[in-house]
Structure formats: C-alpha cells, structure tokens
Amino acid sequence: MASVFNGIRHYAIVFGYYAKLAIQRQLEYPLFLVSWLLVIPTQYFAGIWMLRIIVDRFQPLNGWGFEDLAFLYGLGLLSHGLVVVLFIPTWGTEFAVLRGEFDRLLLRPMNVFFQFVTGYFNFIGLVDLIPGTVIFIAAARMVDFDWSFVNLAKLALVVAGGTLIRASLYTIIGAVAFWTKRSRNLINMTVATMERTTMYPLTLYPQAVQAILTFLLPIGFVSFYPAEQFLGKTKSLELPLGLALWTPLVGLIGFAVAYAVFRQGLRKYESAGS
C-alpha cells in the first residue's frame, strides 16, 4: 500500500512540475491569451445565439425548447473545456509521431501515456470553460435545475465521465498515427462531430445514427442522456441506476480501451526518420 501511495505521489509531483512549466511557457505570450479570451467566448456565445434563432424561427426541436437546448449545450461545453485543458496533446499525436517526440518519452522510467498527456497542460484552454460555465448556469436557472447535493454529485460525475469519453475518442483516433503516420484529419473530423452531436438532441437523428452514437461512439452519454434525466424528459434509452450515472462508467470503460489502443500503437512506433 505504501508503494502505491508513493507512486501516486510521485506522479502527482511530476504533473505539478509539468503544469508549472507549461503555464510559464504560455504566459510568455500574453497577447495570445488576450486573443483567446476574445475569440473563444465569442464562438460559443454565437452557438447559443444560433440555437435561439433556430427555435424562434422554426419550432422546438423534437420537444426541446431553447432553455432545454441551452442546458444541453452548456453541459456538453463543460466536458469540452476540461478535455481541452487536460488532453489537448491527443489532438497532435500525428505530429509527435512524425517528429519522433516519443523517443525521449520512451527513455524515461515513467508511463509514456502519462508523460505524453501531461507534457502540455493547456492553461490557456481554461478560457474554453468560461462560456461553458456561464451558459450552463444561465440555462440551469431557466429550466429550474435542482441544485441539490445529489444532483451536484451526479453533475460532477457526468462532467468527469464526459471528459473521459471525449479523451478516449481523441486518444484512439490520434493513435491511428502509429500505424498510418497520419491522424490529424480524423481528429479534426472527430472534434467537429463531437461539437455538432452534443449540441442537439440525439433523437433528431435516424435510429441507426442514434445506435452508432450510443454504442459504437458513445457521444450520447457526454451530455444528451444525462440532460434527459436532469430535465425530466421521456427517456429514449432505459438503463438501470439512471442515465447520469452511466456516463462515468462509459467514460472509464472507454478510457481503458483507449489506453490499450495507445499502448498497442506504441509498439508500432518507428521513431523519426526510420
């Protein structure tokens, strides 16, 4: 038990050093931080404005009014913000493979995946959490969200699980580069898919697409299924324990699979120039 505790403590200390160095590097360019503060919130607030226009000019989307859509959108943005902060390196696996960056990671007596993910703590990515938090809190007030201890605990589990689901998908797609040397286009497509499918109710899509986004690519568990439960809507998927509690479970399973795929891909790593 003592060795396990010491191991966790060691990794926590290393993560702290990595994060400190990453923050120092990013703060060397304050104008970039300022531009990020302007661009990112504008992008996401424009998204919520688009939802308002769609509902006002047409009709509620399959029974989801603007308040419901804003809640769904805000809930999805919370896990998006966290994955941008903690797992952004998975978006650039292709470049790490092509540049031979795994060479030095393999030489160190520490888990390679841990080094790869924590090697760049995206401090500036915290900006992505600002619009998500604002939108979610505002939407929660509009739908009279019950801020009880139970719901807060469920919310924390949903956000954590949603973050793991996103990270899992990006890790798996990024790891394709170990075999093909290319994965950036797939990552871009996955990011775009995540943003679109977490913005609208899953029930808008055909049954076949719903099945894919539930069982093959479990994007539905990021925000849609938990939102259905929080909002008290008719459940489109019946599972024991409640849909909100399935999100962290799906996230843990997905992350375990993603880690296994990453390790398998690492065996195919050939270094740069070979």
Side-chain angles (χ1 to χ4, degrees):
M1 182 64 69
S3 60
V4 173
F5 175 78
N6 289 333
I8 294 174
R9 181 173 178 272
H10 175 64
Y11 274 82
I13 291 173
V14 171
F15 171 73
Y17 278 118
Y18 277 160
K20 180 180 178 180
L21 290 173
I23 292 172
Q24 289 175 342
R25 289 199 303 268
Q26 292 167 60
L27 291 180
E28 289 179 357
Y29 305 97
L31 288 180
F32 180 73
L33 177 59
V34 172
S35 65
W36 208 252
L37 280 168
L38 294 175
V39 173
I40 295 300
T42 300
Q43 174 186 342
Y44 293 123
F45 287 131
I48 198 68
W49 183 250
M50 181 59 65
L51 288 176
R52 167 63 80 178
I53 293 175
I54 291 174
V55 173
D56 286 348
R57 293 195 176 184
F58 298 96
Q59 58 184 354
L61 301 180
N62 207 18
W64 289 66
F66 172 72
E67 294 82 2
D68 303 324
L69 293 172
F71 184 88
L72 174 67
Y73 185 48
L75 182 59
L77 286 180
L78 293 178
S79 58
H80 167 78
L82 287 175
V83 87
V84 167
V85 173
L86 299 173
F87 294 97
I88 198 69
T90 59
W91 295 15
T93 308
E94 172 187 317
F95 303 116
V97 170
L98 294 176
R99 296 170 183 169
E101 294 180 7
F102 286 99
D103 291 359
R104 57 186 173 84
L105 303 184
L106 287 165
L107 293 174
R108 298 171 180 168
M110 183 170 279
N111 183 277
V112 175
F113 182 70
F114 173 83
Q115 293 183 72
F116 176 57
V117 170
T118 61
Y120 186 78
F121 178 78
N122 190 20
F123 170 73
I124 295 178
L126 289 171
V127 174
D128 285 62
L129 278 172
I130 296 175
T133 303
V134 171
I135 291 171
F136 178 77
I137 292 176
R141 293 185 64 180
M142 288 189 288
V143 300
D144 293 325
F145 179 72
D146 180 13
W147 295 96
S148 64
F149 175 79
V150 172
N151 271 355
L152 286 174
K154 286 182 179 180
L155 178 62
L157 289 173
V158 166
V159 174
T163 302
L164 289 178
I165 292 172
R166 290 178 183 270
S168 302
L169 293 175
Y170 297 144
T171 298
I172 292 172
I173 299 301
V176 170
F178 287 120
W179 287 274
T180 67
K181 304 297 185 294
R182 292 288 184 272
S183 64
R184 184 61 182 176
N185 289 336
L186 288 174
I187 283 290
N188 291 337
M189 183 176 68
T190 304
V191 172
T193 300
M194 290 288 293
E195 297 314 302
R196 298 298 181 273
T197 52
T198 55
M199 191 174 183
Y200 301 105
L202 208 60
T203 49
L204 289 179
Y205 303 101
Q207 290 290 335
V209 176
Q210 292 184 44
I212 291 173
L213 297 179
T214 298
F215 302 108
L216 183 59
L217 303 173
I219 297 174
F221 288 97
V222 172
S223 57
F224 173 68
Y225 291 126
E228 272 193 332
Q229 181 176 339
F230 284 135
L231 296 173
K233 291 188 172 295
T234 302
K235 296 178 182 178
S236 54
L237 181 66
E238 291 290 343
L239 289 172
L241 301 179
L243 294 169
L245 296 180
W246 274 87
T247 294
L249 178 60
V250 172
L252 288 172
I253 294 173
F255 198 72
V257 172
Y259 179 66
V261 171
F262 182 89
R263 284 180 58 102
Q264 189 64 33
L266 198 60
R267 296 178 181 177
K268 301 294 182 179
Y269 177 65
E270 298 176 340
S271 187
S274 59

